[in-house]
Amino acid sequence: MTLSNSFNARQTMTVGDKTYTYYSLAEAEKNGLKGISQLPFSMKVLLENLLRYEDGRTVTKTDIEAVAEWLKNRGKAEKEIAYRPARVLMQDFTGVPAVVDLAAMRDAMKNLGGDPRKINPLVPVDLVIDHSVIVDEFGTPRAFDRNVELEYQRNGERYRFLKWGQSAFENFSVVPPGTGICHQVNLEFLSQTVWTRKDMAAGEFDVAYPDTLVGTDSHTTMVNGLAVLGWGVGGIEAEAAMLGQPITMLIPEVVGFKLTGKINEGVTATDLVLTVTEMLRKKGVVGKFVEFYGPGLDYLSLEDQATIGNMAPEYGATCGFFPVDADTLKYLTTSGRDPARVALVEAYSKAQGMFRETNSPDPVFTSTLELDLSTVVPSISGPKRPQDRIVLAEAKAKFAEALPKDFGKTDDPKIAVEGEDFAIGHGDVVIAAITSCTNTSNPSVLVAAGLVARKARELGLNRKPWVKTSLAPGSQVVTDYLTAAGLQDDLDAIG
C-alpha cells in the first residue's frame, strides 16, 4: 500500500531509547485541519486512523477533511469512512467458524498450486475460550474441576482444532478455557492502549498508534474504560477486519456524558451503570458514540469505567469511551504491562492531545447530558431486562406491582417440590450467580460480595437448598485477590 501524507502528519517521537513513527494530530491541525484539538477524544482516534491509512483510494484527503468538518455538522452529515481496527477479539463460539474459513482458504490455495502458509490473519487476532462452561455441578469443593472436566469432554474436538490453529497461523493466538472472560482478559492482558507495529511503508521505525479493535461479542466495549476504542461486530465483519479489509462506517454523532461529584459510600459501580444506562436509553444513543467527561472522572476507578463501558449494548451506543488519564497509566502498571509501553502510552497520548487531566477543556459534542454521582442510589435491574432499573428500597413494592402487570401472575400458593421437603413460589430466588462480565471485572463489587458472604458465614447463614449458586471469576486475577483476602473461603462456605 502506497501511503499519502496530505497534512504532513507523519512524524517521529522518541520515548526512552526508542524512536517511533506516528501520525501527529497537532501537525495535521497546523497544516489544514483547523480546530481538531477540540474534537472528542474518540473522534481523534478515528481521525488518526484515517491519517495513517490515507492512500488516495480507500482513504482520501476528503475523508480526512470530513472528520474536521465534524466540528460544524456534529456527525449529522452522514459521511462514510473506511476504518481499520488494530486487532480482532473473538470468543470461541464465533471464533471457530473463522478458523474453519482460514483452513478452507489454505486448502484452496494448495489446490491452486500456491503456498498455503501465506494464508494468515493480517492483523493480530486473539481468541478467548470463555463461552463453553456449563454449571453442571455447584455448591461443592470439586464443582470447578468437575465442570472443567465436562467442558473438555464436550468440546475436546473443538479445542484441539483451535490449538492447531494457534500453531498453524501467524497473528493468531488462543487463550485456553478456564482462564477468564474474554473482555476481562482483554482489559487485563491483551490491550495496550497504544499499539505498535513495523511498517516499512511508513519509515524505518515502528509505528505507534491508538489500540483499537472489533470483537465478536457485544460487550467488547468494556475495554473502552482503558481508552481502547472497540465495539462488537458480527462474524463476517470480524473476518473481514482479520483479513485487512476496512470497516465501512458513518462518521458518528458523539454524545458527551458529563460526570460530576463523587459516589457515596455503599453505592456500587453496578448502581452507577444502571443509572447511566437508564439516562442514555431515555436520551436515545443508538448508533452513536458516547464519551464520558467532567470532574467526576477523577473519582472513578478504571474498573468502574470499564463497568460503564461494558453496558454500552444495553444503553444502545456503539461505544462508551473514556480517555487516557493518570488512572489509565496506573492500571497498565499494576496489571503488569511493560514499563516501556506505559511510558509510550503517556508520551503518545500527551503528544496527540488524547490525555485527559483535571483542567482539560471540555471537547465539542453533538449533544450532552449530565449526572451528579452523589445522587446515585443502590439499585437492581429488572423486572425483565438487564437495562431496566429498580431502586433497591422499592424492590418489594415493584415486584408486587410487576407480578400481575408484567408476568400475568397472581400471588399463587407455593408449590411443593417433588422429593424434597420444601416448596417454592413466585418471588423465591432460585439462581444466585456471580457470572456477568459487567460485575466480575470490578474488584470493589467482587470484594463486597465476599464481605457479604463473610458476614453471612459469621451469622451462621447459608443458601437455601433450592438456590443454584455459581461464581465465575472474570480472570485468574479475581481468584487471586479473593483468595489473598481470605474471601474465597467465605464464598465457598455459603455455597
Side-chain angles (χ1 to χ4, degrees):
M1 181 191 296
T2 302
L3 297 175
S4 304
N5 189 21
S6 297
F7 299 94
N8 196 31
R10 192 184 306 133
Q11 303 290 323
T12 59
M13 69 186 317
T14 300
V15 182
D17 58 359
K18 192 165 184 178
T19 300
Y20 301 89
T21 296
Y22 77 111
Y23 288 78
S24 169
L25 299 183
E27 285 300 314
E29 187 169 26
K30 291 178 186 176
N31 293 303
L33 298 182
K34 293 182 179 179
I36 60 172
S37 57
Q38 301 174 66
L39 286 169
F41 291 96
S42 53
M43 286 297 297
K44 290 179 180 179
V45 175
L46 291 184
L47 176 58
E48 187 280 340
N49 195 273
L50 296 182
L51 288 168
R52 183 161 33 95
Y53 281 106
E54 184 192 2
D55 59 3
R57 185 173 59 86
T58 61
V59 179
T60 66
K61 181 180 179 181
T62 304
D63 294 333
I64 295 169
E65 289 171 336
V67 178
E69 286 295 311
W70 187 96
L71 289 163
K72 297 178 182 177
N73 60 53
R74 310 291 173 92
K76 298 183 184 293
E78 297 193 351
K79 165 68 176 175
E80 279 193 351
I81 56 171
Y83 167 70
R84 290 175 171 88
R87 56 192 177 92
V88 175
L89 177 70
M90 292 183 167
Q91 37 89 336
D92 41 329
F93 280 179
T94 49
V96 169
V99 182
V100 169
D101 287 346
L102 286 172
M105 286 185 233
R106 284 202 165 185
D107 274 346
M109 176 70 90
K110 182 179 179 182
N111 293 338
L112 292 169
D115 182 359
R117 291 173 298 181
K118 290 183 177 180
I119 302 295
N120 292 291
L122 293 180
V123 300
V125 179
D126 296 292
L127 188 152
V128 182
I129 300 173
D130 74 337
H131 277 58
S132 302
V133 181
I134 298 173
V135 182
D136 292 283
E137 187 161 329
F138 64 95
T140 69
R142 64 187 298 271
F144 175 77
D145 293 336
R146 178 57 179 158
N147 289 328
V148 170
E149 180 186 337
L150 290 169
E151 179 186 1
Y152 274 97
Q153 288 177 15
R154 291 170 178 143
N155 301 294
E157 183 179 12
R158 206 152 49 104
Y159 294 163
R160 286 191 294 273
F161 175 64
L162 291 174
K163 191 172 183 180
W164 166 82
Q166 178 169 250
S167 60
F169 296 107
E170 298 175 9
N171 276 337
F172 181 76
S173 66
V174 178
V175 178
T179 304
I181 296 170
C182 63
H183 311 303
Q184 191 157 351
V185 173
N186 191 24
L187 187 74
E188 292 178 353
F189 177 66
L190 299 174
S191 298
Q192 301 296 319
T193 304
V194 172
W195 206 258
T196 59
R197 65 175 168 81
K198 290 193 176 297
D199 186 352
M200 297 311 295
E204 61 180 302
F205 305 115
D206 284 3
V207 181
Y209 51 98
D211 186 1
T212 57
L213 77 152
V214 290
T216 56
D217 188 284
S218 60
H219 290 106
T220 298
T221 51
M222 187 166 106
V223 80
N224 295 165
L226 193 61
V228 176
L229 185 62
W231 58 82
V233 296
I236 293 175
E237 288 178 285
E239 283 196 43
M242 182 173 73
L243 296 172
Q245 295 300 305
I247 292 173
T248 300
M249 61 179 288
L250 294 174
I251 297 177
E253 296 180 34
V254 184
V255 175
F257 198 125
K258 186 173 186 177
L259 298 174
T260 62
K262 186 177 181 181
I263 292 177
N264 293 319
E265 185 176 352
V267 175
T268 70
T270 307
D271 304 320
L272 171 59
V273 75
L274 286 171
T275 305
V276 167
T277 299
E278 183 179 59
M279 293 176 65
L280 287 170
R281 286 181 68 85
K282 286 180 180 177
K283 184 170 183 63
V285 293
V286 173
K288 303 174 184 179
F289 283 14
V290 172
E291 182 169 308
F292 295 88
Y293 72 108
L297 294 186
D298 291 337
Y299 302 102
L300 283 185
S301 70
L302 190 133
E303 293 87 352
D304 290 347
Q305 294 179 175
T307 299
I308 295 171
N310 180 283
M311 285 283 278
E314 280 69 36
Y315 47 80
T318 302
C319 62
F321 190 77
F322 291 83
V324 179
D325 61 11
D327 211 40
T328 311
L329 304 178
K330 179 182 175 183
Y331 184 88
L332 291 169
T333 300
T334 56
S335 55
R337 267 57 165 210
D338 187 336
R341 178 62 54 133
V342 179
L344 174 61
V345 170
E346 180 174 12
Y348 178 88
S349 301
K350 289 182 175 178
Q352 292 285 59
M354 295 180 179
F355 193 93
R356 185 199 72 85
E357 297 183 271
T358 301
N359 58 353
S360 295
D362 293 342
V364 173
F365 294 107
T366 306
S367 62
T368 61
L369 68 168
E370 183 173 337
L371 172 65
D372 179 350
L373 296 174
S374 67
T375 64
V376 177
V377 296
S379 306
I380 56 175
S381 63
K384 285 185 174 181
R385 303 176 302 176
Q387 63 264 30
D388 295 331
R389 183 177 75 96
I390 296 172
V391 175
L392 184 59
E394 301 172 1
K396 183 175 181 179
K398 291 292 184 182
F399 175 76
E401 178 184 314
L403 191 60
K405 180 180 176 183
D406 295 322
F407 300 100
K409 302 291 184 182
T410 58
D411 193 10
D412 302 319
K414 291 181 179 287
I415 305 297
V417 177
E418 186 177 350
E420 302 288 350
D421 61 353
F422 57 79
I424 58 175
H426 300 315
D428 286 330
V429 174
V430 294
I431 297 177
I434 304 175
T435 58
S436 167
C437 53
T438 309
N439 292 316
T440 57
S441 64
N442 196 298
S444 64
V445 176
L446 266 292
V447 169
L451 291 172
V452 170
R454 174 169 292 177
K455 180 60 68 173
R457 187 182 181 187
E458 289 173 358
L459 296 172
L461 301 175
N462 209 330
R463 67 176 180 87
K464 298 297 184 183
W466 58 81
V467 179
K468 182 176 184 178
T469 55
S470 61
L471 167 62
S475 74
Q476 293 175 351
V477 172
V478 177
T479 302
D480 288 345
Y481 69 64
L482 288 176
T483 302
L487 296 173
Q488 188 63 58
D489 290 340
D490 297 306
L491 289 162
D492 290 343
I494 63 168

